Structure formats: structure tokens, C-alpha cells
Amino acid sequence: MTNTLEPTIPKPENIFYYNYPIEEIFNEFSIDPKRGLSSEQALKSLELNGPNELKKVKKSLIKVILAPIINLLIIIYLLSAVAMWALGEVQRTVPTFIIVGFNAIVAIVQQLRAEKQLEALKKLSEASATVIRDGKETVLPTNEVVVGDIIKVKTGDKIPADCRILECMNLSIDESSLTGESEPVKKTQDLNPNHEEELPLQDQKNMMFFGTFVALGQCSAIVVHTGAHTEIGKISTMLEESSTGEIPLRNKMNHVAKYLGIGVLILLIFSIIWKSFVLSSLESLSWDSFRDAMILSIDLGMKVMPINLPLLTTIVLLTGVLVMAQKGVIVRELSRTESLGRVSVVCSDKTGTLTKNEMTITKIWTASKEYEVSGYGYDPEGIVHYSWNRANPVENFELDMLISSGYLNNNCVLNQKIVGTLGKSKTKTSWSIIGLPTEASLKVLGKKYKSDIDDKIKVYEFIHEFSFDSSIKRMSKLFSKDGNKILFTKGATEWILPLCSRYQLEGKNLPINEEIRTKILENMNLYAGQGYRILTITNRLIDETLIEQDLESETARQTFESDLIFLGFVVILDPPRDDVFQAITDCKKAGINVIMITGDSISTGKAIAEKLDIYNEGINLAIEGNQLEGISEKEFPKISVYGRVSPEHKQIIVQRYQKMGKVVSMSGDGVNDALALSMADCGLAMGIQGTEVAKEAADMVITDDSFSTIVTGIREGRSLFMKIRTIIYFFVCVSVMEAIILFSATLNINDPFFEMWDYGQLNILYVTAHLFPSLGFTFGNISKTIMDEKPRDSAEIITKDIIKIMLVQMLLIGLAIIIVYYLCLNGTIGLSEFNLSGIGYNGSPNDVPQFQIKARTMGFVILFILESILMPLQIRRINHSLKDSLHDINYKKEFLFYIPSFLILIVGIYSLSIQEIIGQNLGTMFNFNFMFLDIRDWVICLIACLPALFGFEYIRKIARKKHISF
Ligand code: ADP
Ligand code: MG
């Protein structure tokens, strides 16, 4: 026995385990086949072989640090700064480097945080493995699996390491990730008949490989290679780790930024050429004047470039994705977050997503009697009775058989846990299950019927299992008892009844005739019509002649599952989840179509769908999956319930909706759902019920399986992209508008050095009018009305309609500024004494005429009010009127960002002394050169803003009428 505690030894890689008898492998690794590794052995094996991880190629630091910062806009910006520096304007480049530096630091910090958090997110949806250690089954993260571990896998699981099969049943493995072969490979526990021979991977039928999936069946196996020594590990050292830090939206953003950058570049070059032209026509073109012209143009260009646009959108996306994770939606594919926000059709599984998946059998129907079952949930407290007479095994032969059949033809385990005490002697217990809830209900039923059922069924010896397959909706297990072989089959009534040739009545097997068949179906429909799940239970004796055929062969299942004896059916209650009704109401308000998909019968699905308001008689249709083909384009959108669905139907449903231009989300849990999940615009795998295959194929994982979490995800997705669109709208609108008016002002033929605002004023513009509002958008709250809007059709951020609206808004703002500016400039709006009492301390009034100082101040105030107060308020809920948007009281936090910018403006205008202090310490850049404005001036400014305010409200009203959404 001391032998078993010896450390496992790392094996040389050229040992062909597929040629080793299993006993030899056990010996080599010193393992007790029943108990698996001991914790000590596992620890030693871990030390020797290292963690079960594939080597990741570290991304170079430069890539991590520079990738988030570098985009064309930044490059143009930096080149401009270098040009300024070369032109001798070193001082002017100081704020540039402060701004770029600040941006860079935020971007790098954000990037590193994102990498970490996305890594953590990935871990959340990472695979785990069932391992036998110290004689107990435990679930471990894949990277803790070690050489020598005995593992167990079943349909849908991911193979956690390279291993040799010990015992398997109907096992097929999808090895496409390794070999590229798309057909699943049948596996066996047997030794390769041609010993000694070296086999290629695909012929190693008794081996399973890291990263492949169980397509069907189950097995136990012993781990022989982990981590880099596995077959996939050997090739994956060449693969770079799929980069988690790659943020898809950034590419889109960089694209927008690129055009803005190029636009500005063209403008500033044009401005320089124009100025030179004007200067030469005035015969004052010299190096000095040319240099000044260049400095002015470049500086202007730098002020209007929205360099933090890509950064802000990335921050919004990442914070949004993390919030989603907290709320139970783990995003696996960042680029699909947007689709989730735009979803217009949600296809949801019924069982477990819309319902609780806490199955309780409430009735049992047999040909002779109908029994009731008391009790609720997995607690086996309750009885099986017939008008309150406890059913007893002697009188109820088919009931007895039915319950045993359900109990044996079962893979679920019930666990009792003591959670507290009740009084002195009694303890409070809670029951949990490992396995399928449907099967759990049969186990509970057995225990309610006979508390000693486990002893009673010991006479049955397990031989073989034909696993549950959702495309044929049944499962069977073969047992032997007293030399007889008995097959138990259970599954969907309509699918099993045709396989039955006899039924049991008071202990006798009678041939099934039309009469009894109708009776069974009528009764089944009665209960299904009330929303119950129905499961028919059968058995049969198997002749010795049949048993001789290979149980693993393709035909075995068919020959076994025929000539069955109908015992009865159980009626299973699976109530809807509590919060689903509300979530469905929310979807309807949000213009999202909810479709129920179930493997249960249409009657069952329809009844539950009706309760949940998914299905309305007369308006909606409910069909079976295989009727899909005959459904016309016109009828298709009316279908809201699909019953008896097989996985391939899900694919057809996704395709047909996509053909209609809908954005479809599809939920799934099974192995066969993988294709539909990856086809959908937004594939959602269930976190609890879901198989590894489904999770791998999905774009997102719903941790609690609940439909309301899906809807929460949609809400988060919508608000996330609303924010991003708002930020983009804001920056594009503001940058383009400013670029146009600022550069047009430089086209003054009389004065090539005419500036709308001077250098210091442009700095304050940059901070107040650009930075603070965008922070408000970034950190503002979610709109309460986000789920009152219809789904957005266009995947584009800026549609043609939006460009039109934007142009009108730019015109309105631009006109307000320019008109007042020029009215001041030409003296129509005159100077008051108060005005003249406060001209900037270094305001060189000799250089700049007083009228112009006033024009600059007034123009700036209007720009400020329109851009950094009114526009943010108007576009923060861009699809609603300003009035409605203000009612949506979530904006308090956003005001935190408007207040400081307003303070800076006031300081800029009124507090000469503060300016002086700042200016003395930091140089001339804080020299604002504004003029005191009196009440009359403010009133003029406010009035000048009104056309822009109401004009924009008006065009948005028209847009709403025309159903143009932002
Ligand atoms: P859903 O899509 O609603 O989860 P399933 O695919 O799980 O439905 O089940 C579809 C049908 O298959 C059920 O109505 C039931 O009749 C049958 N069924 C479900 N689970 C089992 C099982 N473990 N064994 C046999 N039949 C089952
Ligand atoms: Mg299911």
C-alpha cells in the first residue's frame, strides 16, 4: 500500500499510452483506480509537471503600452507639437505635452486595468473539470488537473488534459480544435489491436486530448500529459495568446478620429497657404510673418482635435462590460456587446431560463389510475396517493414499475445537507441535486414512494446507458435482474408512444390499440395544456439474442428502443421564474420580440407562454420545430412559441430572423446549441446549465441562467452604446463646428493674423467646453427610459440622418456665436464703463482693440453656454426632448462636471487677481484677456443662445416623429 503514496513521475513524451494496458498505467503512476490521486500525490505531481496551462506568449510591453495611445489623431497632434517646438514656440507646447501626457497615463492605466479585469472575466467563464481525488468527486479549475488524475467527462464537457480512456460509453469526441476534422470521432476504452505501432493522433481511439469536446457520451479517463506536454500544448507555443487587451471598438473609434485628424490637417495646411497668400499680397511676407502664420494655424488645429475621443469611448466600454459582469452577464466577445444593446429579437429557452427548473412531479398517470403526489421541491417529504390513500406497491404493479424505472433510468444524485436544528432532536435539512432537474424529480418521487427504495433497487445491475439526446428526446438504461435483462426508457410522449407496442394494465401487458393511444394522448394534452412537462416511462425485457450485438453500434439503440411497454407518464411542475413577467413586459416596451424555445411539447410551452404574456391566442402562433419549413415569410414573425425543438431548428430560427434584418440573441446550453449560438448576433450561454461547448461558442455567459438577467444585459448594452454615441456625437459636432468657425476667421483678407480667440482663451475653451462635458457623458448615469425606446436598426454610429441633424446644430451654434461676435466687433453692441473696468491684466489693449476683446468675451460666453451646458443637457438623453431629459433626474452626478467648468469661466472673466497669481507662477498661458461683462451683456448672450436651443429641440422633435433615433 505504501506504493500508492509514491510520487507520480513525469513521463517522457515518447511513451505511447494508447498501447499500454490500463493496469500498467495505474502501476506506473501508483494510483488506486477507485480513489484517484491522494492530495499529497496531486501536490507532488503538480510540482513535477507544473500547472496544467498552455504557455502564453507574453505580449511585448511596447504593444501593451503604446497600442492604446497611438492613433493617427495623436500622431498628428504630436507632430504639430514638434512643429511648434521647431518654430521656437517651446512654451506653447507645454500644455500640449501636459494634455498628451495626461491622456497617455490614463490610457495606459486603463489598458493595464482592462487587461487584468478582462483576464479575470475570462477566468469566470473558464472550464472546470470533474476529478476523483481521495476517493471523492471534486470539481477543479482546469489548470489544477495533474498527471495521474482520474477524470470524468460527459456530453458537452471540455477535455481538461491529454488522457487515456478507462471506461467509456457511446463516446464521441469533437476533435476539430486539434485535427480540423469536423466529424466527431468515436472512442473506445480498448487497447489498440496492433500493439507496438505508433499511431497518428486521429487513430488513437483510446485517448482524449486537451481542448477537445465530448460530443456525446461519458467516460472516465486518466490524465497522462498536462500543459505544454499535451498535443495542443506542443503546437500552441507557436500561437499568440488571443489578445484580451484588444478592444474592437477602439478600431472603430480610431477610424472616426482618423478622419477628424485628416480634416483638421487639411484645414491647417490650407490656412497656412492662405495666410502666406494674403501676406504676400499685402507685401509683408517674410520668414517671421510666415512663421507666425504657421504657429497660429497649427495651434488652432491642435485646439480642435478631439484627441481623447478614442480614450473616452474605451473607458465607457470597459466600465460598461465590468458592470455587466457584476450583474451576471459575462462578456466573452467584446465586439458583440454592441449587438446585445441592439437586440430586437430574444430567443430564450423555456426550461431554466424562463422557468425555475426546479422540477416537481405532481401527478402520475397510468392506464388504470391517476395518482397525486404531495410535497414540493427536492425535499422527499410527501406521499404518492390515490384519493388520499397512500399508494402501496402490492396493489399498484405498474405504478411500482414506473417509479423504479424512473429511479433507475437516472443519473441524478440527491444530496441532503443539514442547515440547522429545529427543536431538540430534529434537524433542518436542505436538498440539492447534481444532474438534471427532470431526473431529480424522479429520484424524489422514488423516495416519497418508498423511503428504502435504494435498498430495493439493489437487485438491478447496471449494464449500459443510451444517454439523453435532445434531438430524439429520450434516454434508456439497461439493467440485469435475476438473469433477466431489462431496458428502461423514458422521454417525450409523442416520441416514445410510437415505439411502444404494449401497455401495462393491472400487471398485464396488453397490446396498444387506437383507443388506448387516444386516451393516453388526450390525458397528456390535458396536463401539457396547463403548462406541465410530461415524461413517459416505459420498460421492456431484452432477449439474450439481442444482447449479443455490440451495444456501441449505431443500430443497437434503435433495436433496443422498440417494442416498449408503456407504464404511464409523470406530470412535472416547473413554474415560471418570479421576475420573468416583469422582464418580458420591459422587453415589449422596448420593442423587443420575445420568443420561447423548448424541447417540451407545444401545449406545455404554449400554456407557460400564455402565463408570461409571450403568447396571445389569435395574435401569435405556436409551432413545432419541424413545422418550420412550411411556414411562410408572413406567418414567421407571428410565431412566439416553438415546441419540440431540436438544436438545428434554432439555427433556422436565427437565420430567418437575420434575413429579416433583425438583431437576434439566442440562448442555449447543450452541445448541439453551439452552432446556433455562434450564428446569432448575440449568443448567450447559460452559466449553470450550460455545457462547456455552449459557453465556448457563446458571446456572453448568463451566470444565473435567468431571463431577467438577459434583459438586464440588454439594458446595460443599450446604455453603454447610447453613451458612446453621445460622446461621439458631441465631439464630432463640436470639433467640426469649431474648426469651421475658427479657421474661417483666419481667412480675413485685411488681417492675416486675425484671431477669433487668442491662445490662452483657446486653452480655457479646451478644458471647459471639451473636457468637462465629455467626463459628464462618460460617468453619467443610465437613462431611466433607455428601455422605452425601440431597438436601434443601424449598426453605424453616425448615420446619414444624424449627420444632417448635426449639420443643422453646428449651423445654429456657429451662427449665434458669429453674429454676436461681429455685432461687438463693429460696435453695434457697445462698450460700457463696467466693461472697461476689467480688461485682462496683460490684455495688451494696445494690440487688440477693445471692441474685439468684448467680442471675444461675449462670443466665448455664448460658445460656453451652448457647448458645455445646453448641448450636454440636450444630448444626454438625445432621443428625448430637453424637458423629458430633465425629468429623468439621474443627472445630479453629471452636474458635478458642469460646475467646475462654469467656475473656470467665471474666474476667467471676472477674477483678474486669481489670473495674476496663476499667470505669474505658470507663465503667460493663463492670460485670458477677457473683459468684465455686465448684466446687459449676459442677457444678450442668453438671448443669442435661444435660437440654437429651440432650433435643436425642434429638429429633434421632427426626428422623433420620423423615427430617426440616435
Ligand atoms: P428544454 O429545451 O425545454 O430544456 P429538453 O430538451 O431538456 O427541453 O427536453 C425535451 C423533452 O425531452 C422533454 O419534454 C422530455 O419529454 C424529454 N426529456 C427531458 N429530459 C429528459 C431525460 N433526462 N430523460 C429522458 N427524457 C427527457
Ligand atoms: Mg434543456
Side-chain angles (χ1 to χ4, degrees):
M1 271 321 272
T2 49
N3 197 23
T4 55
L5 283 177
E6 265 172 31
T8 49
I9 295 161
K11 302 308 318 169
E13 269 163 51
N14 52 3
I15 284 190
F16 307 132
Y17 287 101
Y18 46 87
N19 282 337
Y20 268 51
I22 288 170
E23 299 72 38
E24 253 175 68
I25 300 183
F26 282 136
N27 276 341
E28 287 226 23
F29 290 114
S30 339
I31 301 162
D32 175 349
K34 288 228 163 57
R35 298 185 51 83
L37 291 180
S38 67
S39 322
E40 263 168 77
Q41 283 178 308
L43 211 67
K44 279 186 184 140
S45 179
L46 184 67
E47 262 167 38
L48 285 168
N49 302 294
N52 182 29
E53 283 165 344
L54 297 184
K55 249 191 247 147
K56 288 171 190 166
V57 178
K58 270 241 169 214
K59 262 187 296 177
S60 66
L61 214 56
I62 290 182
K63 234 176 165 180
V64 174
I65 290 179
L66 286 187
I69 318 171
I70 296 298
N71 59 57
L72 193 67
L73 204 56
I74 289 276
I75 293 174
I76 296 175
Y77 196 84
L78 283 174
L79 285 180
S80 309
V82 170
M84 291 285 255
W85 193 70
L87 291 170
E89 281 291 314
V90 180
Q91 211 184 30
R92 282 204 186 204
T93 54
V94 173
T96 297
F97 286 109
I98 293 176
I99 290 164
V100 173
F102 177 73
N103 255 294
I105 291 167
V106 177
I108 291 167
V109 170
Q110 202 59 32
Q111 175 77 3
L112 293 177
R113 270 185 51 198
E115 296 246 340
K116 263 217 189 95
Q117 281 164 332
L118 292 176
E119 196 68 39
L121 274 190
K122 251 180 97 189
K123 284 236 167 70
L124 280 180
S125 59
E126 226 166 51
S128 51
T130 308
V131 177
I132 298 179
R133 292 249 179 110
D134 296 316
K136 273 196 284 266
E137 259 185 39
T138 43
V139 177
L140 294 178
T142 302
N143 64 354
E144 287 176 27
V145 171
V146 297
V147 171
D149 261 329
I150 294 178
I151 59 156
K152 284 191 148 182
V153 290
K154 57 177 189 314
T155 312
D157 283 350
K158 195 172 180 178
I159 309 297
D162 282 6
C163 35
R164 166 73 193 275
I165 296 168
L166 299 176
E167 232 177 323
C168 71
M169 209 169 287
N170 271 334
L171 185 69
S172 307
I173 304 282
D174 177 349
E175 292 186 339
S176 55
S177 58
L178 189 63
T179 59
E181 171 60 54
S182 60
E183 275 297 302
V185 184
K186 263 199 150 326
K187 295 280 176 172
T188 152
Q189 64 215 37
D190 301 330
L191 216 52
N192 161 35
N194 319 324
H195 230 280
E196 311 299 323
E197 200 185 324
E198 191 177 337
L199 293 172
L201 278 190
Q202 51 271 34
D203 293 341
Q204 300 177 16
K205 300 285 189 212
N206 56 13
M207 297 286 289
M208 300 191 292
F209 305 103
F210 194 8
T212 59
F213 288 102
V214 183
L216 192 70
Q218 56 201 50
C219 85
S220 61
I222 180 165
V223 173
V224 293
H225 292 303
T226 56
H229 302 288
T230 58
E231 293 300 331
I232 190 89
K234 284 182 210 159
I235 46 178
S236 84
T237 43
M238 287 171 279
L239 302 171
E240 189 166 340
E241 159 72 343
S242 65
S243 53
T244 46
E246 213 27 73
I247 296 156
L249 186 80
R250 188 151 58 210
N251 300 336
K252 250 189 189 172
M253 273 335 308
N254 284 344
H255 210 63
V256 174
K258 185 171 95 185
Y259 284 113
L260 290 176
I262 291 173
V264 172
L265 196 64
I266 291 172
L267 277 182
L268 80 84
I269 291 171
F270 177 74
S271 160
I272 293 170
I273 295 171
W274 174 266
K275 281 191 173 142
S276 322
F277 170 76
V278 174
L279 281 172
S280 66
S281 75
L282 295 175
E283 285 172 8
S284 51
L285 184 62
S286 65
W287 166 243
D288 277 346
S289 62
F290 180 66
R291 177 179 156 269
D292 285 350
M294 286 209 282
I295 290 169
L296 280 185
S297 306
I298 296 172
D299 190 42
L300 218 53
M302 287 171 68
K303 290 290 150 32
V304 296
M305 275 188 235
I307 55 164
N308 46 3
L309 180 57
L311 174 65
L312 288 173
T313 48
T314 313
I315 292 178
V316 172
L317 180 71
L318 289 174
T319 11
V321 165
L322 293 173
V323 168
M324 285 168 107
Q326 279 161 12
K327 297 196 170 170
V329 182
I330 296 168
V331 176
R332 299 189 70 242
E333 185 59 59
L334 272 180
S335 57
R336 295 300 183 96
T337 329
E338 184 180 3
S339 319
L340 185 64
R342 296 200 304 118
V343 155
S344 49
V345 178
V346 182
C347 302
S348 169
D349 281 325
K350 172 184 79 72
T351 313
T353 307
L354 293 166
T355 67
K356 289 184 178 161
N357 213 6
E358 228 175 59
M359 309 250 179
T360 313
I361 294 175
T362 58
K363 285 190 177 66
I364 304 164
W365 191 92
T366 65
S368 61
K369 282 195 190 76
E370 207 179 305
Y371 301 88
E372 309 259 338
V373 185
S374 65
Y376 181 79
Y378 298 134
D379 186 348
E381 197 69 34
I383 56 164
V384 181
H385 61 95
Y386 173 68
S387 39
W388 288 107
N389 295 316
R390 193 175 188 133
N392 75 59
V394 185
E395 291 162 24
N396 306 279
F397 188 77
E398 53 264 35
L399 176 74
D400 200 60
M401 201 62 226
L402 181 148
I403 291 179
S404 308
S405 169
Y407 200 88
L408 284 160
N409 184 9
N410 206 314
N411 287 320
C412 185
V413 183
L414 280 183
N415 284 324
Q416 184 179 23
K417 249 206 322 234
I418 295 172
V419 290
T421 49
L422 283 175
K424 267 187 191 150
S425 52
K426 277 193 173 169
T427 49
K428 205 174 143 196
T429 55
S430 94
W431 292 81
S432 63
I433 65 160
I434 306 174
L436 299 173
T438 308
E439 299 193 348
S441 71
L442 288 165
K443 279 261 148 118
V444 174
L445 175 70
K447 286 200 191 291
K448 282 177 181 171
Y449 178 66
K450 278 191 267 188
S451 51
D452 58 348
I453 190 160
D454 286 316
D455 296 332
K456 292 263 161 34
I457 57 153
K458 273 191 184 142
V459 287
Y460 290 94
E461 203 180 308
F462 172 75
I463 302 174
H464 189 77
E465 173 180 337
F466 298 103
S467 350
F468 174 65
D469 181 342
S470 63
S471 56
I472 55 172
K473 300 192 170 42
R474 60 176 176 265
M475 151 181 183
S476 303
K477 272 195 183 187
L478 184 65
F479 288 87
S480 84
K481 183 196 171 195
D482 310 332
N484 292 322
K485 305 275 185 297
I486 307 172
L487 182 81
F488 297 110
T489 303
K490 67 181 195 308
T493 310
E494 313 97 284
W495 289 63
I496 290 204
L497 206 49
L499 308 174
C500 295
S501 56
R502 291 158 293 165
Y503 72 104
Q504 208 165 71
L505 183 71
E506 285 157 8
K508 289 192 285 286
N509 293 336
L510 307 174
I512 285 192
N513 53 26
E514 253 337 283
E515 193 191 341
I516 182 73
R517 187 187 302 279
T518 327
K519 195 171 155 197
I520 293 171
L521 289 175
E522 267 175 7
N523 278 285
M524 181 207 102
N525 278 323
L526 178 73
Y527 292 118
Q530 295 166 24
Y532 292 101
R533 162 175 274 211
I534 311 292
L535 201 66
T536 285
I537 295 178
T538 67
N539 69 355
R540 75 169 284 196
L541 275 175
I542 300 284
D543 300 338
E544 283 302 321
T545 46
L546 270 184
I547 210 76
E548 267 153 29
Q549 74 170 296
D550 178 13
L551 286 171
E552 299 277 345
S553 78
E554 302 275 331
T555 51
R557 184 162 194 166
Q558 261 183 22
T559 37
F560 277 60
E561 289 175 341
S562 64
D563 196 20
L564 301 169
I565 304 168
F566 175 88
L567 297 170
F569 61 75
V570 290
V571 176
I572 309 176
L573 173 73
D574 178 22
R577 283 170 180 267
D578 299 325
D579 46 2
V580 163
F581 190 82
Q582 184 57 43
I584 288 169
T585 315
D586 290 350
C587 280
K588 291 205 157 162
K589 243 187 13 205
I592 298 166
N593 222 349
V594 182
I595 311 290
M596 174 193 279
I597 292 180
T598 179
D600 276 338
S601 69
I602 310 185
S603 319
T604 308
K606 213 161 83 173
I608 297 207
E610 239 171 343
K611 279 187 204 158
L612 291 174
D613 203 22
I614 292 176
Y615 177 87
N616 285 295
E617 192 75 50
I619 301 173
N620 299 115
L621 293 175
I623 66 158
E624 266 188 21
N626 53 22
Q627 290 174 303
L628 250 172
E629 233 167 272
I631 295 291
S632 69
E633 305 266 293
K634 235 178 95 193
E635 281 176 315
F636 179 73
K638 290 191 202 154
I639 303 170
S640 67
V641 178
Y642 292 91
R644 293 294 181 225
V645 168
S646 294
E648 63 271 17
H649 299 139
K650 285 190 169 180
Q651 295 158 29
I652 303 173
I653 296 169
V654 169
Q655 264 172 343
R656 287 191 72 164
Y657 271 117
Q658 281 175 338
K659 232 168 84 192
M660 288 167 59
K662 300 282 184 187
V663 181
V664 191
S665 91
M666 172 62 81
S667 76
D669 46 22
V671 201
N672 304 326
D673 289 340
L675 200 55
L677 290 183
S678 53
M679 274 167 60
D681 298 282
C682 194
L684 307 171
M686 296 298 126
I688 303 169
Q689 285 186 82
T691 54
E692 296 301 337
V693 183
K695 288 180 193 169
E696 196 101 333
D699 304 310
M700 276 153 227
V701 177
I702 306 295
T703 48
D704 64 355
D705 290 13
S706 167
F707 182 78
S708 47
T709 305
I710 299 180
V711 179
T712 307
I714 295 176
R715 176 182 290 121
E716 291 297 326
R718 277 189 170 194
S719 58
L720 197 162
F721 278 91
M722 197 67 228
K723 270 188 182 178
I724 288 177
R725 282 199 298 273
T726 310
I727 292 172
I728 293 170
Y729 180 92
F730 178 79
F731 272 112
V732 172
C733 186
V734 160
S735 308
V736 173
M737 193 261 316
E738 283 173 2
I740 292 173
I741 56 172
L742 288 173
F743 279 105
S744 329
T746 67
L747 303 185
N748 197 323
I749 305 185
N750 302 318
D751 179 5
F753 292 106
F754 182 83
E755 290 178 287
M756 240 0 248
W757 287 290
D758 72 18
Y759 169 73
Q761 290 164 340
L762 288 177
N763 277 339
I764 188 175
L765 168 90
Y766 189 86
V767 176
T768 54
H770 295 187
L771 193 60
F772 281 104
S774 61
L775 291 178
F777 296 137
T778 309
F779 298 104
N781 290 326
I782 296 182
S783 162
K784 279 187 180 155
T785 53
I786 195 88
M787 291 298 272
D788 295 346
E789 292 165 21
K790 298 281 159 270
R792 196 172 188 273
D793 301 328
S794 174
E796 266 171 64
I797 292 181
I798 301 177
T799 59
K800 283 207 180 94
D801 284 327
I802 292 177
I803 291 178
K804 282 184 211 154
I805 293 172
M806 201 186 266
L807 284 174
V808 178
Q809 189 178 19
M810 287 193 261
L811 191 73
L812 287 169
I813 297 179
L815 277 181
I817 298 165
I818 289 168
I819 289 173
V820 173
Y821 196 97
Y822 282 95
L823 287 180
C824 288
L825 208 59
N826 67 19
T828 313
I829 300 172
L831 293 166
S832 71
E833 223 156 87
F834 184 66
N835 287 160
L836 296 175
S837 69
I839 295 181
Y841 80 102
N842 195 19
S844 26
N846 313 329
D847 293 348
V848 186
Q850 287 171 353
F851 279 128
Q852 195 177 351
I853 297 181
K854 176 145 187 181
R856 284 177 172 178
T857 314
M858 298 266 288
F860 194 89
V861 166
I862 293 173
L863 178 80
F864 178 86
I865 294 173
L866 286 175
E867 253 185 37
S868 58
I869 294 186
L870 287 180
M871 186 162 157
L873 285 179
Q874 284 179 301
I875 67 173
R876 59 190 280 278
R877 305 287 183 258
I878 197 160
N879 289 321
H880 295 271
S881 68
L882 178 61
K883 210 173 114 221
D884 288 347
S885 155
L886 288 176
H887 277 306
D888 190 350
I889 46 145
N890 274 337
Y891 55 76
K892 291 201 183 104
K893 208 158 83 189
E894 289 157 48
F895 272 123
L896 283 182
F897 296 103
Y898 303 153
I899 292 166
S901 86
F902 191 71
L903 285 179
I904 294 176
L905 177 82
I906 296 298
V907 168
I909 296 177
Y910 290 103
S911 176
L912 289 174
S913 45
I914 292 181
Q915 285 186 36
E916 223 158 323
I917 296 163
I918 301 171
Q920 274 162 7
N921 289 325
L922 287 176
T924 53
M925 61 182 172
F926 281 93
N927 180 1
F928 299 135
N929 294 338
F930 284 126
M931 174 186 270
F932 284 7
L933 294 186
D934 58 25
I935 301 281
R936 192 190 60 140
D937 300 326
W938 278 97
V939 171
I940 293 173
C941 289
L942 290 177
I943 291 173
C945 291
L946 294 181
L949 169 66
F950 289 110
F952 187 48
E953 282 305 296
Y954 182 68
I955 37 167
R956 286 199 300 148
K957 194 171 162 187
I958 297 176
R960 284 198 296 277
K961 268 205 185 126
K962 290 191 171 172
H963 303 291
I964 298 167
S965 62
F966 286 81

